[in-house]
Amino acid sequence: MSRAPRSSAARRSWGDDESGTSILHVDMDAFFASVELVRRPALRGLPVIVGGAQRGVVLAATYEARAFGVHSAMPMAQALRACPQAVVVPPDHTAYREVSAGVMDVLGSVTALVEQVSIDEAFLDVAGARRRMGPPTTIAEHIRAQVRSRFGVTCSVGVAATKLVAKLCSEHAKPDGMLLVPRQATVDFMRTLPVGALWGVGERTEQALARWGIRTVAEVADLDVTTLQRIVGQAHGAHLHDLAWGRDPRPVRPGHATRSIGAETTFETDIGDPALVEARALELADTCAARLRRAGLVGRTVAVKVRTSDFRTLSRSHTLVTPTDVGREVFLVARRLLAGVDLRGLPVRLVGVRVEGLRRAEDVPHQPTLDEAVAGPGRRDAELAVDEVRARFGRRAIGPATTTVSTTLGLDKAALGGDRPDRSTTTFAPVELS
């Protein structure tokens, strides 16, 4: 659910000359919520929020809920205060992945030049498909019709000469629309937008520009580039100046690699005991490692995220010498990082673990760790065996040393986030937490 700044002026017609506009950006409309409405048609027309329980965050919301100010990443408690009549639906990520895969198959039938950038959006370069399927807007309408008829959900499509403008077009076409900006209208279109619409302009950059009275893309474009560089930095200033003039030479890159794999959780109640936070980090590290192995990837950088009860979010990261897909190795780094976070004595609301710097496992020569050199490759083999068990019996069939952790730390279901299956007899690879 994008919250990028929009402009009413940018939604108007910019002409119908499609020459040189081969880039499409396809963005699903309120994707998670739309999938849930297909499964629960009785909820159509109601304000629906997809997300965790009272302590969770909003993952997606229907446009009826958005009208009340509900948006993604908003704490659920805040969302329900804004829209108390909303229907909250728990997420089903398996269903979302299945629909996403189907949508990407539709895009792949149009052109091989598809760059998926998230579960619900992708860029296409349709220059090679024009002779077979017609002009870009015809292709865009074909995609929208196929997605609607096959999956019952809608998407918005931007058509432009560059990736930046195509993405901005799809945002302004929402919901369930299409917007074309011809190549010759690119600069005029960009000049209608607020400065926050530019990629790379976050809250701090926007504030820095505002101190100079710069609030629109037009003002960025008209500013001398050296002055802009003094405000936001040399490289960033030159980049923003190019974007303000619609210059974005990046091609569509098929098979764009996943940048990171992570998992996080929001506790049902704020946790003041570091041992309980550490225990959840163990589960999250195990989840990350399993996803890495499933994708055939390894990663070099382990990062943790902690959100305290005052909603302050802290992050730390560490880069390994050798890439890994082993949960124990990810956890040991995450544990050290968590120990170094200054919580200021506040309890923890959310904890997350992420692995970055990903590469294909087959491209990385394997160098045995000290443990493997002494005792053989038992740790990774054990985790691979667990993957097989989970593939047959489900993700919750076996967990990472939960008996040792729960017995030692006295974990209870309420503290760790609600009802969870009792796994006291199905554990593997105990990890010492002291």
Side-chain angles (χ1 to χ4, degrees):
M1 184 195 311
S2 174
R3 289 181 284 137
R6 290 166 57 152
S7 165
S8 57
R11 295 175 67 95
R12 70 177 178 85
S13 173
W14 292 91
D16 56 6
D17 181 3
E18 300 186 44
S19 59
T21 56
S22 63
I23 306 299
L24 273 58
H25 181 256
V26 178
D27 196 358
M28 306 303 297
D29 299 320
F31 182 51
F32 293 174
S34 297
V35 173
E36 294 298 343
L37 293 183
V38 173
R39 306 167 70 194
R40 300 173 171 87
L43 298 181
R44 291 190 180 277
L46 299 177
V48 176
I49 300 174
V50 178
Q54 183 75 11
R55 299 278 302 175
V57 296
V58 175
L59 297 180
T62 60
Y63 289 94
E64 291 82 0
R66 296 188 197 190
F68 291 87
V70 177
H71 58 75
S72 62
M74 174 183 282
M76 187 63 71
Q78 182 181 344
L80 292 177
R81 285 195 297 270
C83 186
Q85 70 273 38
V87 179
V88 179
V89 177
D92 184 343
H93 293 284
T94 299
Y96 308 149
R97 285 193 293 269
E98 290 175 354
V99 176
S100 174
V103 171
M104 296 305 152
D105 285 343
V106 170
L107 305 186
S109 69
V110 172
T111 175
L113 298 178
V114 177
E115 178 183 337
Q116 182 176 357
V117 293
S118 71
I119 193 172
D120 61 350
E121 62 176 315
F123 289 102
L124 295 79
D125 187 335
V126 298
R130 296 184 64 153
R131 176 175 295 182
R132 175 170 57 92
M133 301 188 67
T137 55
T138 300
I139 296 173
E141 292 295 359
H142 166 78
I143 291 171
R144 294 178 60 224
Q146 286 291 306
V147 169
R148 181 190 291 272
S149 63
R150 290 180 57 178
F151 308 106
V153 296
T154 64
C155 63
S156 298
V157 183
V159 184
T162 66
K163 292 169 74 172
L164 167 68
V165 179
K167 182 172 176 63
L168 292 171
C169 285
S170 67
E171 177 61 33
H172 284 83
K174 284 183 172 292
D176 192 19
M178 179 186 67
L179 179 62
L180 162 71
V181 171
R183 178 184 289 275
Q184 68 271 19
T186 294
V187 174
D188 291 338
F189 169 76
M190 295 297 298
R191 293 180 71 86
T192 67
L193 302 175
V195 69
L198 293 176
W199 282 341
V201 176
E203 183 177 353
R204 290 185 179 180
T205 301
E206 191 168 2
Q207 291 173 352
L209 292 170
R211 286 194 290 270
W212 285 68
I214 302 167
R215 293 181 171 82
T216 68
V217 172
E219 290 168 336
V220 173
D222 294 341
L223 192 66
D224 180 77
V225 67
T226 57
T227 302
L228 185 60
Q229 289 174 320
R230 284 199 299 270
I231 299 173
V232 299
Q234 186 169 1
H236 195 32
H239 175 65
L240 291 183
H241 197 260
D242 282 341
L243 294 182
W245 284 96
R247 295 190 287 263
D248 179 18
R250 296 168 305 154
V252 173
R253 295 182 292 172
H256 186 51
T258 303
R259 294 180 181 179
S260 64
I261 286 178
E264 62 183 44
T265 189
T266 300
F267 295 107
E268 288 292 329
T269 58
D270 294 339
I271 300 298
D273 185 347
L276 299 183
V277 177
E278 190 176 276
R280 179 51 62 87
L282 172 62
E283 294 188 5
L284 297 174
D286 171 59
T287 298
C288 291
R291 291 176 181 171
L292 286 169
R293 293 190 295 269
R294 196 158 54 240
L297 299 170
V298 292
R300 282 196 65 188
T301 300
V302 177
V304 298
K305 179 171 75 171
V306 181
R307 182 169 298 144
T308 50
S309 58
D310 62 349
F311 287 90
R312 185 172 54 107
T313 301
L314 307 165
S315 60
R316 300 288 186 272
S317 64
H318 175 75
T319 299
L320 303 167
V321 175
T322 304
T324 187
D325 60 1
V326 178
R328 179 175 182 269
E329 296 178 8
V330 173
F331 168 67
L332 292 177
V333 176
R335 183 176 66 175
R336 289 197 299 270
L337 294 172
L338 287 172
V341 174
D342 180 11
L343 301 177
R344 300 180 184 174
L346 295 173
V348 172
R349 177 184 179 88
L350 173 149
V351 63
V353 176
R354 181 168 295 277
V355 180
E356 304 168 345
L358 306 184
R359 298 176 60 184
R360 292 196 307 170
E362 62 188 38
D363 294 338
V364 178
H366 177 67
Q367 181 172 346
T369 65
L370 179 61
D371 286 347
E372 292 173 341
V374 174
R379 178 67 60 175
R380 189 173 190 277
D381 285 354
E383 295 191 15
L384 288 171
V386 169
D387 291 343
E388 295 180 7
V389 172
R390 288 171 173 165
R392 293 184 60 188
F393 301 107
R395 177 72 178 85
R396 291 297 185 183
I398 187 168
T402 51
T403 295
T404 302
V405 173
S406 59
T407 301
T408 304
L409 304 178
L411 303 188
D412 63 283
K413 291 190 285 187
L416 286 181
D419 292 335
R420 303 165 64 81
D422 180 4
R423 293 175 290 165
S424 59
T425 60
T426 54
T427 64
F428 78 95
V431 177
E432 303 80 33
L433 295 182
S434 59

